[in-house]
Coordinates of all heavy atoms in Angstrom, one line a residue:
M1 N 38.8 15.0 -26.7 CA 38.5 13.7 -26.4 C 37.2 13.3 -27.3 O 36.3 14.1 -27.5 CB 38.2 13.5 -25.1 CG 37.9 12.0 -24.6 SD 37.5 11.8 -22.9 CE 39.0 12.0 -22.1
T2 N 37.0 12.1 -27.7 CA 35.9 11.6 -28.6 C 34.7 11.6 -27.6 O 34.8 11.1 -26.5 CB 36.3 10.2 -29.0 OG1 37.3 10.3 -30.0 CG2 35.0 9.6 -29.7
E3 N 33.6 12.1 -28.1 CA 32.4 12.2 -27.4 C 31.6 10.8 -27.6 O 31.4 10.4 -28.7 CB 31.5 13.3 -27.8 CG 30.2 13.4 -27.0 CD 29.3 14.6 -27.4 OE1 29.9 15.6 -28.0 OE2 28.1 14.5 -27.2
L4 N 31.2 10.2 -26.6 CA 30.5 9.0 -26.7 C 29.0 9.2 -26.4 O 28.6 9.9 -25.6 CB 31.0 7.9 -25.6 CG 32.5 7.5 -25.8 CD1 32.9 6.6 -24.5 CD2 32.7 7.0 -27.0
Y5 N 28.2 8.5 -27.2 CA 26.8 8.5 -27.0 C 26.4 7.3 -26.1 O 26.8 6.2 -26.3 CB 26.0 8.3 -28.3 CG 24.6 8.1 -28.2 CD1 23.8 9.1 -27.7 CD2 24.0 7.0 -28.7 CE1 22.4 8.9 -27.5 CE2 22.7 6.9 -28.5 CZ 21.8 7.7 -27.9 OH 20.5 7.5 -27.7
E6 N 25.6 7.6 -25.1 CA 25.2 6.5 -24.1 C 23.7 6.0 -24.5 O 22.9 6.9 -24.6 CB 25.1 7.0 -22.6 CG 26.6 7.4 -22.3 CD 26.5 7.8 -20.8 OE1 25.4 7.6 -20.0 OE2 27.5 8.4 -20.4
V7 N 23.6 4.8 -24.8 CA 22.3 4.2 -25.0 C 21.7 4.0 -23.6 O 22.4 3.1 -22.8 CB 22.3 2.9 -25.8 CG1 20.9 2.4 -26.0 CG2 23.0 3.2 -27.2
T8 N 20.7 4.5 -23.3 CA 20.1 4.3 -21.9 C 18.7 3.7 -21.8 O 18.0 3.7 -22.9 CB 20.0 5.7 -21.1 OG1 19.1 6.6 -21.9 CG2 21.3 6.4 -21.0
I9 N 18.4 3.1 -20.8 CA 17.0 2.4 -20.7 C 16.0 3.6 -20.6 O 16.0 4.3 -19.6 CB 17.0 1.6 -19.4 CG1 18.0 0.5 -19.5 CG2 15.5 0.9 -19.3 CD1 17.8 -0.5 -20.7
P10 N 15.1 3.7 -21.4 CA 14.1 4.9 -21.4 C 13.0 4.7 -20.3 O 12.6 3.4 -20.0 CB 13.4 4.9 -22.8 CG 13.5 3.4 -23.3 CD 14.9 2.8 -22.6
A11 N 12.3 5.7 -19.8 CA 11.4 5.6 -18.9 C 10.1 5.1 -19.7 O 9.9 5.6 -20.8 CB 11.0 7.0 -18.3
S12 N 9.2 4.4 -19.1 CA 8.0 4.0 -19.6 C 7.0 3.7 -18.5 O 7.0 2.7 -17.9 CB 8.3 2.6 -20.5 OG 7.1 2.3 -21.0
G13 N 6.1 4.7 -18.5 CA 5.0 4.5 -17.4 C 5.6 4.3 -16.0 O 6.4 5.0 -15.6
S14 N 5.1 3.2 -15.4 CA 5.4 3.0 -14.0 C 6.7 1.9 -13.9 O 7.1 1.5 -12.8 CB 4.2 2.4 -13.1 OG 3.8 1.2 -13.8
V15 N 7.3 1.6 -15.0 CA 8.4 0.7 -15.0 C 9.6 1.2 -14.3 O 10.0 2.4 -14.6 CB 8.7 0.2 -16.5 CG1 9.9 -0.6 -16.4 CG2 7.5 -0.5 -17.1
E16 N 10.1 0.4 -13.4 CA 11.4 1.0 -12.6 C 12.6 0.2 -13.0 O 13.6 0.7 -13.0 CB 11.1 0.7 -11.1 CG 10.0 1.6 -10.7 CD 9.8 1.4 -9.1 OE1 10.6 0.8 -8.4 OE2 8.8 1.9 -8.5
N17 N 12.5 -1.0 -13.5 CA 13.6 -1.8 -13.8 C 13.4 -2.7 -15.1 O 12.2 -3.1 -15.3 CB 14.0 -2.8 -12.7 CG 14.4 -2.2 -11.5 OD1 15.4 -1.5 -11.5 ND2 13.7 -2.4 -10.4
V18 N 14.4 -3.0 -15.9 CA 14.2 -3.9 -16.9 C 15.3 -4.9 -17.0 O 16.4 -4.7 -16.3 CB 14.2 -3.1 -18.4 CG1 13.2 -2.0 -18.3 CG2 15.6 -2.5 -18.6
V19 N 15.1 -6.0 -17.7 CA 16.1 -7.0 -17.8 C 16.7 -6.9 -19.2 O 15.8 -7.0 -20.2 CB 15.6 -8.4 -17.5 CG1 16.7 -9.6 -17.9 CG2 15.2 -8.6 -16.0
I20 N 18.0 -6.9 -19.4 CA 18.6 -7.2 -20.8 C 18.4 -8.5 -21.2 O 19.2 -9.4 -20.6 CB 20.1 -6.6 -20.9 CG1 20.2 -5.2 -20.3 CG2 20.6 -6.7 -22.2 CD1 19.6 -4.1 -21.2
T21 N 17.5 -8.9 -22.0 CA 17.2 -10.2 -22.3 C 18.4 -10.8 -23.4 O 19.0 -11.8 -23.1 CB 15.8 -10.4 -23.0 OG1 15.0 -9.8 -22.2 CG2 15.5 -11.9 -23.2
V22 N 18.6 -9.9 -24.4 CA 19.5 -10.4 -25.4 C 20.2 -9.2 -26.0 O 19.5 -8.3 -26.4 CB 18.9 -11.2 -26.6 CG1 19.9 -11.5 -27.7 CG2 18.2 -12.4 -26.0
W23 N 21.4 -9.1 -26.1 CA 22.2 -8.2 -27.0 C 22.0 -8.4 -28.3 O 22.3 -9.5 -28.7 CB 23.7 -8.0 -26.5 CG 23.8 -7.4 -25.2 CD1 24.4 -7.9 -24.1 CD2 23.6 -5.9 -25.0 NE1 24.4 -6.8 -23.2 CE2 24.1 -5.6 -23.7 CE3 23.2 -4.8 -25.9 CZ2 24.0 -4.4 -23.1 CZ3 23.1 -3.6 -25.3 CH2 23.5 -3.4 -24.0
L24 N 21.6 -7.5 -29.2 CA 21.5 -7.6 -30.7 C 22.7 -7.1 -31.3 O 22.9 -7.2 -32.5 CB 20.2 -7.1 -31.1 CG 19.0 -7.6 -30.5 CD1 17.7 -6.9 -30.9 CD2 18.8 -9.1 -30.8
V25 N 23.7 -6.6 -30.7 CA 24.9 -5.9 -31.2 C 26.1 -6.5 -30.4 O 26.0 -7.0 -29.2 CB 24.8 -4.4 -31.0 CG1 23.7 -3.9 -31.9 CG2 24.7 -4.0 -29.7
A26 N 27.3 -6.3 -30.9 CA 28.5 -6.5 -30.3 C 29.5 -5.4 -30.4 O 29.3 -4.6 -31.4 CB 29.1 -7.9 -31.0
V27 N 30.4 -5.4 -29.6 CA 31.5 -4.3 -29.7 C 32.1 -4.5 -31.2 O 32.4 -5.5 -31.6 CB 32.5 -4.5 -28.6 CG1 33.7 -3.5 -28.8 CG2 32.0 -4.2 -27.2
G28 N 32.1 -3.3 -31.8 CA 32.7 -3.1 -33.2 C 31.6 -3.0 -34.3 O 31.9 -2.7 -35.4
D29 N 30.3 -3.3 -33.9 CA 29.3 -3.2 -34.8 C 29.1 -1.7 -35.2 O 29.1 -0.9 -34.3 CB 28.0 -3.8 -34.2 CG 28.0 -5.3 -34.2 OD1 29.0 -5.9 -34.7 OD2 27.0 -5.9 -33.8
T30 N 28.7 -1.5 -36.4 CA 28.3 -0.1 -36.9 C 26.8 -0.1 -37.0 O 26.2 -1.0 -37.5 CB 28.9 0.1 -38.3 OG1 30.4 0.0 -38.1 CG2 28.5 1.5 -38.7
L31 N 26.3 0.9 -36.4 CA 24.8 1.2 -36.3 C 24.3 2.3 -37.0 O 25.1 3.3 -37.1 CB 24.4 1.2 -34.8 CG 24.7 0.0 -34.0 CD1 24.3 0.3 -32.4 CD2 24.2 -1.2 -34.4
E32 N 23.1 2.4 -37.4 CA 22.5 3.6 -37.9 C 21.4 4.0 -36.9 O 21.0 3.2 -36.1 CB 21.8 3.3 -39.3 CG 22.6 2.9 -40.5 CD 23.6 4.0 -40.7 OE1 23.4 5.1 -40.6 OE2 24.8 3.6 -41.2
K33 N 21.0 5.1 -36.9 CA 20.0 5.7 -36.0 C 18.8 4.9 -36.2 O 18.3 4.5 -37.3 CB 19.6 7.1 -36.3 CG 18.6 7.7 -35.4 CD 18.3 9.2 -35.8 CE 17.2 9.7 -34.8 NZ 16.8 11.1 -35.2
G34 N 18.2 4.3 -35.0 CA 17.0 3.5 -35.0 C 17.3 2.0 -35.2 O 16.4 1.2 -35.0
D35 N 18.5 1.7 -35.2 CA 18.9 0.2 -35.2 C 18.6 -0.4 -33.9 O 18.7 0.2 -32.8 CB 20.3 0.1 -35.5 CG 20.6 0.0 -37.1 OD1 19.6 0.2 -37.8 OD2 21.8 0.0 -37.2
L36 N 18.2 -1.7 -33.8 CA 18.0 -2.4 -32.6 C 19.3 -2.6 -31.9 O 20.3 -3.1 -32.4 CB 17.2 -3.7 -32.8 CG 15.7 -3.6 -33.4 CD1 15.3 -4.9 -33.8 CD2 14.9 -2.8 -32.7
V37 N 19.3 -2.4 -30.6 CA 20.6 -2.7 -29.8 C 20.3 -4.0 -28.9 O 21.3 -4.6 -28.8 CB 20.9 -1.5 -28.9 CG1 22.0 -1.7 -27.9 CG2 21.0 -0.3 -29.8
A38 N 19.1 -4.2 -28.3 CA 18.8 -5.3 -27.4 C 17.5 -5.5 -27.2 O 16.6 -4.6 -27.5 CB 19.5 -4.9 -26.1
E39 N 17.2 -6.7 -26.8 CA 15.8 -7.0 -26.3 C 15.7 -6.9 -24.8 O 16.7 -7.2 -24.1 CB 15.4 -8.6 -26.7 CG 15.2 -8.7 -28.3 CD 15.0 -10.0 -28.6 OE1 14.8 -10.9 -27.9 OE2 14.9 -10.2 -29.9
I40 N 14.7 -6.2 -24.4 CA 14.6 -6.0 -23.0 C 13.2 -6.4 -22.4 O 12.2 -6.6 -23.2 CB 14.8 -4.4 -22.6 CG1 13.8 -3.6 -23.3 CG2 16.2 -4.0 -22.8 CD1 13.9 -2.1 -22.9
S41 N 13.1 -6.7 -21.2 CA 11.9 -7.3 -20.6 C 11.6 -6.6 -19.3 O 12.5 -6.3 -18.5 CB 12.1 -8.7 -20.4 OG 11.0 -9.4 -19.7
T42 N 10.3 -6.3 -19.2 CA 9.9 -5.7 -17.9 C 8.9 -6.8 -17.3 O 8.5 -7.8 -17.9 CB 9.0 -4.3 -18.1 OG1 7.9 -4.6 -18.8 CG2 9.9 -3.5 -19.0
E43 N 8.2 -6.3 -16.2 CA 7.2 -7.2 -15.5 C 6.1 -7.4 -16.4 O 5.3 -8.5 -16.4 CB 6.8 -6.6 -14.1 CG 7.7 -6.6 -13.2 CD 7.3 -5.9 -11.9 OE1 6.2 -5.4 -11.8 OE2 8.2 -6.0 -10.9
K44 N 5.8 -6.5 -17.4 CA 4.5 -6.4 -18.2 C 4.6 -6.6 -19.6 O 3.9 -7.2 -20.3 CB 3.8 -5.1 -18.0 CG 3.4 -4.8 -16.6 CD 2.7 -3.6 -16.5 CE 2.2 -3.3 -15.0 NZ 1.6 -2.0 -14.9
V45 N 5.9 -6.5 -20.2 CA 6.1 -6.5 -21.6 C 7.6 -6.8 -22.0 O 8.5 -6.4 -21.2 CB 5.5 -5.2 -22.2 CG1 6.5 -4.0 -22.1 CG2 5.4 -5.3 -23.7
D46 N 7.7 -7.4 -23.2 CA 9.0 -7.6 -23.7 C 9.1 -6.5 -24.9 O 8.1 -6.5 -25.7 CB 9.2 -8.9 -24.3 CG 9.2 -10.0 -23.2 OD1 9.5 -9.7 -22.0 OD2 8.9 -11.1 -23.5
T47 N 10.2 -5.9 -25.0 CA 10.3 -4.9 -26.1 C 11.8 -4.8 -26.5 O 12.7 -5.6 -26.2 CB 9.7 -3.5 -25.6 OG1 9.7 -2.7 -26.7 CG2 10.6 -2.9 -24.5
E48 N 12.1 -3.7 -27.4 CA 13.4 -3.7 -28.0 C 13.9 -2.3 -27.7 O 13.2 -1.3 -27.7 CB 13.4 -4.0 -29.5 CG 13.0 -5.5 -29.8 CD 12.4 -5.5 -31.2 OE1 11.9 -4.6 -31.8 OE2 12.6 -6.6 -31.8
L49 N 15.2 -2.3 -27.6 CA 15.9 -1.0 -27.3 C 16.6 -0.5 -28.4 O 17.2 -1.3 -29.2 CB 16.9 -1.1 -26.2 CG 17.7 0.0 -25.7 CD1 16.8 1.1 -25.0 CD2 18.7 -0.4 -24.7
V50 N 16.4 0.7 -28.8 CA 17.0 1.2 -30.2 C 18.0 2.3 -29.9 O 17.9 3.0 -28.8 CB 15.9 1.7 -31.2 CG1 14.9 0.7 -31.6 CG2 15.1 2.9 -30.6
T51 N 18.8 2.6 -30.8 CA 19.8 3.8 -30.8 C 19.3 4.9 -31.4 O 18.6 4.8 -32.4 CB 21.2 3.4 -31.3 OG1 22.1 4.5 -31.1 CG2 21.2 3.0 -32.7
E52 N 19.5 6.1 -30.8 CA 19.1 7.3 -31.4 C 20.1 8.0 -32.1 O 19.9 9.0 -32.6 CB 18.6 8.3 -30.2 CG 17.4 7.8 -29.5 CD 16.1 7.6 -30.4 OE1 16.0 8.6 -31.2 OE2 15.4 6.6 -30.3
R53 N 21.3 7.3 -32.3 CA 22.4 7.8 -33.0 C 23.1 6.8 -33.8 O 23.2 5.7 -33.4 CB 23.5 8.5 -32.1 CG 22.9 9.7 -31.3 CD 23.9 10.8 -31.3 NE 23.4 11.9 -30.7 CZ 24.0 12.4 -29.6 NH1 25.2 12.1 -29.2 NH2 23.5 13.5 -28.9
A54 N 23.7 7.2 -34.9 CA 24.5 6.3 -35.7 C 26.0 6.3 -35.1 O 26.3 7.2 -34.3 CB 24.6 6.8 -37.2
G55 N 26.6 5.2 -35.4 CA 28.0 5.1 -34.8 C 28.6 3.7 -34.6 O 27.9 2.8 -35.1
R56 N 29.6 3.5 -33.9 CA 30.2 2.2 -33.7 C 30.2 1.7 -32.2 O 30.5 2.6 -31.3 CB 31.7 2.2 -34.1 CG 32.5 1.1 -33.9 CD 33.8 1.1 -34.5 NE 34.4 2.4 -34.4 CZ 35.8 2.7 -33.7 NH1 36.4 1.7 -33.1 NH2 36.1 3.9 -33.7
V57 N 29.5 0.7 -31.9 CA 29.6 0.1 -30.6 C 30.9 0.0 -30.0 O 31.7 -0.8 -30.6 CB 28.7 -1.3 -30.5 CG1 28.6 -1.8 -29.1 CG2 27.4 -1.0 -31.1
V58 N 31.2 0.6 -28.9 CA 32.5 0.4 -28.2 C 32.4 -0.2 -26.9 O 33.5 -0.5 -26.4 CB 33.1 2.0 -28.2 CG1 33.4 2.4 -29.7 CG2 32.5 2.9 -27.5
A59 N 31.3 -0.3 -26.3 CA 31.3 -0.9 -25.0 C 29.8 -1.4 -24.6 O 28.8 -0.7 -24.9 CB 31.8 0.0 -23.9
L60 N 29.8 -2.5 -24.2 CA 28.3 -3.0 -23.6 C 28.7 -3.0 -22.0 O 29.4 -3.6 -21.5 CB 28.1 -4.5 -24.1 CG 27.9 -4.6 -25.6 CD1 27.6 -6.1 -25.9 CD2 26.9 -3.8 -26.1
L61 N 27.7 -2.2 -21.3 CA 28.0 -1.9 -19.9 C 27.3 -2.9 -19.0 O 27.8 -2.8 -17.8 CB 27.7 -0.5 -19.7 CG 28.3 0.6 -20.5 CD1 27.8 2.0 -20.2 CD2 29.9 0.5 -20.3
V62 N 26.5 -3.7 -19.5 CA 25.8 -4.7 -18.6 C 25.7 -6.0 -19.3 O 25.8 -6.0 -20.5 CB 24.4 -4.3 -18.2 CG1 24.4 -3.0 -17.3 CG2 23.4 -4.0 -19.4
E63 N 25.5 -7.1 -18.7 CA 25.5 -8.4 -19.2 C 24.1 -8.8 -19.6 O 23.0 -8.3 -18.9 CB 26.1 -9.5 -18.2 CG 27.6 -9.1 -17.8 CD 28.5 -9.5 -18.9 OE1 28.3 -10.3 -19.7 OE2 29.5 -8.8 -19.1
E64 N 23.9 -9.8 -20.4 CA 22.6 -10.3 -20.7 C 22.1 -11.0 -19.3 O 22.9 -11.6 -18.7 CB 22.6 -11.4 -21.7 CG 22.9 -10.9 -23.1 CD 22.9 -11.9 -24.2 OE1 22.8 -13.1 -23.9 OE2 23.0 -11.6 -25.4
G65 N 20.8 -10.8 -19.1 CA 20.2 -11.2 -17.9 C 20.2 -10.4 -16.7 O 19.7 -10.5 -15.7
D66 N 21.2 -9.2 -16.8 CA 21.2 -8.2 -15.8 C 19.9 -7.4 -15.7 O 19.4 -7.0 -16.7 CB 22.3 -7.2 -16.1 CG 23.6 -7.8 -15.7 OD1 23.8 -9.0 -15.3 OD2 24.7 -7.2 -15.9
E67 N 19.4 -7.2 -14.5 CA 18.3 -6.2 -14.3 C 18.9 -4.9 -13.8 O 19.7 -4.8 -12.9 CB 17.4 -6.8 -13.1 CG 16.2 -5.9 -12.9 CD 15.1 -6.5 -11.9 OE1 15.3 -7.7 -11.5 OE2 14.3 -5.7 -11.3
V68 N 18.4 -3.8 -14.5 CA 18.9 -2.5 -14.4 C 17.8 -1.5 -14.2 O 16.6 -1.8 -14.8 CB 19.8 -2.1 -15.5 CG1 21.2 -2.8 -15.4 CG2 19.2 -2.1 -16.8
P69 N 17.9 -0.4 -13.4 CA 17.0 0.6 -13.4 C 16.8 1.5 -14.7 O 17.7 1.5 -15.4 CB 17.4 1.5 -12.2 CG 18.6 1.0 -11.6 CD 19.0 -0.2 -12.6
V70 N 15.6 2.0 -14.8 CA 15.3 3.0 -15.9 C 16.3 4.0 -15.7 O 16.7 4.5 -14.7 CB 13.9 3.4 -15.8 CG1 13.7 4.7 -16.7 CG2 12.9 2.4 -16.1
G71 N 16.9 4.5 -16.9 CA 17.9 5.6 -17.0 C 19.4 5.1 -17.0 O 20.2 6.0 -17.2
T72 N 19.5 3.8 -16.8 CA 20.9 3.1 -16.7 C 21.5 3.2 -18.1 O 20.8 2.8 -19.1 CB 20.9 1.8 -16.3 OG1 20.4 1.8 -14.9 CG2 22.2 1.0 -16.2
S73 N 22.7 3.7 -18.2 CA 23.4 3.6 -19.5 C 23.9 2.1 -19.6 O 24.5 1.6 -18.9 CB 24.7 4.4 -19.5 OG 24.4 5.8 -19.3
V74 N 23.6 1.6 -20.8 CA 23.8 0.1 -21.0 C 24.8 -0.1 -22.2 O 25.4 -1.2 -22.3 CB 22.6 -0.7 -21.2 CG1 21.7 -0.7 -20.0 CG2 21.8 -0.1 -22.4
C75 N 25.0 0.9 -23.0 CA 25.9 0.6 -24.3 C 26.5 2.1 -24.6 O 25.8 3.0 -24.4 CB 25.0 0.2 -25.4 SG 25.8 0.0 -26.9
L76 N 27.8 1.9 -25.0 CA 28.4 3.3 -25.5 C 28.6 3.1 -27.1 O 29.2 2.2 -27.5 CB 29.8 3.4 -24.8 CG 29.7 3.6 -23.2 CD1 31.0 3.7 -22.7 CD2 28.9 4.7 -22.8
I77 N 28.3 4.3 -27.7 CA 28.5 4.4 -29.2 C 29.5 5.6 -29.4 O 29.2 6.6 -29.0 CB 27.2 4.6 -29.9 CG1 26.4 3.2 -29.5 CG2 27.3 4.7 -31.3 CD1 25.0 3.3 -30.1
A78 N 30.4 5.3 -30.3 CA 31.4 6.4 -30.8 C 31.0 6.7 -32.2 O 30.6 5.9 -33.0 CB 32.8 6.0 -30.6
P79 N 31.5 7.8 -32.7 CA 31.4 8.3 -34.0 C 32.1 7.1 -34.9 O 33.2 6.7 -34.5 CB 32.1 9.5 -34.3 CG 31.9 10.2 -32.9 CD 32.0 9.0 -31.9
V80 N 31.8 6.8 -36.1 CA 32.4 5.8 -36.9 C 33.8 6.2 -37.2 O 34.7 5.4 -37.3 CB 31.6 5.4 -38.1 CG1 32.4 4.6 -39.1 CG2 30.2 4.9 -37.8
D81 N 34.0 7.5 -37.5 CA 35.4 7.9 -37.9 C 36.2 8.3 -36.7 O 37.4 8.8 -36.9 CB 35.2 9.0 -38.8 CG 34.6 10.3 -38.2 OD1 34.0 10.2 -37.1 OD2 34.5 11.4 -38.9
A82 N 35.9 8.0 -35.5 CA 36.7 8.3 -34.3 C 38.0 7.5 -34.3 O 37.8 6.2 -34.5 CB 35.9 8.3 -33.1
P83 N 39.1 7.9 -34.0 CA 40.3 7.1 -34.0 C 40.2 6.2 -32.8 O 39.7 6.6 -31.7 CB 41.4 8.1 -33.8 CG 41.0 9.5 -34.1 CD 39.5 9.4 -33.8
D84 N 40.7 4.9 -33.0 CA 40.7 3.9 -31.9 C 41.3 4.4 -30.6 O 40.7 4.0 -29.7 CB 41.5 2.7 -32.4 CG 40.5 2.0 -33.5 OD1 39.3 2.1 -33.6 OD2 41.1 1.1 -34.2
D85 N 42.5 5.1 -30.6 CA 43.2 5.5 -29.4 C 42.2 6.6 -28.7 O 42.1 6.4 -27.4 CB 44.5 6.0 -29.6 CG 44.6 7.2 -30.7 OD1 43.6 7.5 -31.3 OD2 45.6 7.9 -30.6
A86 N 41.5 7.3 -29.4 CA 40.7 8.3 -28.8 C 39.5 7.7 -28.0 O 39.0 8.0 -27.0 CB 40.2 9.4 -29.8
V87 N 39.0 6.7 -28.9 CA 37.7 5.9 -28.4 C 38.2 5.1 -27.1 O 37.4 5.1 -26.0 CB 37.3 4.9 -29.4 CG1 36.2 4.0 -28.9 CG2 36.6 5.6 -30.6
T88 N 39.4 4.5 -27.1 CA 39.9 3.7 -26.0 C 40.0 4.6 -24.7 O 39.5 4.3 -23.7 CB 41.2 3.0 -26.3 OG1 41.1 2.2 -27.3 CG2 41.7 2.3 -25.0
A89 N 40.5 5.8 -24.9 CA 40.7 6.7 -23.9 C 39.3 7.4 -23.2 O 39.1 7.3 -22.1 CB 41.5 7.9 -24.2
A90 N 38.3 7.5 -24.3 CA 37.0 8.0 -23.8 C 36.3 6.9 -23.1 O 35.5 7.2 -22.1 CB 36.2 8.4 -25.0
V91 N 36.4 5.6 -23.5 CA 35.7 4.5 -22.8 C 36.3 4.3 -21.4 O 35.6 4.2 -20.4 CB 35.8 3.2 -23.6 CG1 35.4 2.1 -22.8 CG2 35.0 3.4 -24.9
A92 N 37.6 4.4 -21.4 CA 38.3 4.2 -20.0 C 37.9 5.4 -19.1 O 37.7 5.2 -17.9 CB 39.8 4.2 -20.2
A93 N 37.9 6.6 -19.5 CA 37.4 7.7 -18.8 C 35.9 7.5 -18.3 O 35.6 7.9 -17.2 CB 37.7 9.0 -19.5
R94 N 35.2 7.1 -19.1 CA 33.7 6.8 -18.8 C 33.4 5.8 -17.7 O 32.7 5.9 -16.9 CB 33.0 6.5 -20.1 CG 31.5 6.0 -20.0 CD 30.6 6.9 -19.2 NE 29.3 6.4 -19.1 CZ 28.8 5.5 -18.3 NH1 29.8 4.9 -17.3 NH2 27.6 5.1 -18.2
Q95 N 34.3 4.7 -17.8 CA 34.1 3.7 -17.0 C 34.9 3.8 -15.6 O 34.7 3.0 -14.7 CB 34.5 2.3 -17.6 CG 33.6 1.9 -18.9 CD 34.1 0.7 -19.4 OE1 35.1 0.3 -19.6 NE2 33.0 0.0 -20.0
G96 N 35.7 4.9 -15.6 CA 36.4 5.2 -14.4 C 37.2 4.3 -13.8 O 37.6 4.1 -12.7

């Protein structure tokens, strides 16, 4: 099965929750390591979420405006060369 990389909300000081302000990617986009994925907001600061891996965006797991806890998976990325049927199966298995 294709291994998916989960983009998660990183821990930062005493922050417990963040809001996904704007998605900067869409399903199907190809990313390089370090690319911006979303703008996020906390009680104290607005910042950007980046990916630590290259690949193809295959699922956005939360909506713009959603408040989510630190550690939440918000986006799934598959290898660029992964077959579509394998990606579909992996996303379905991940989303349960």
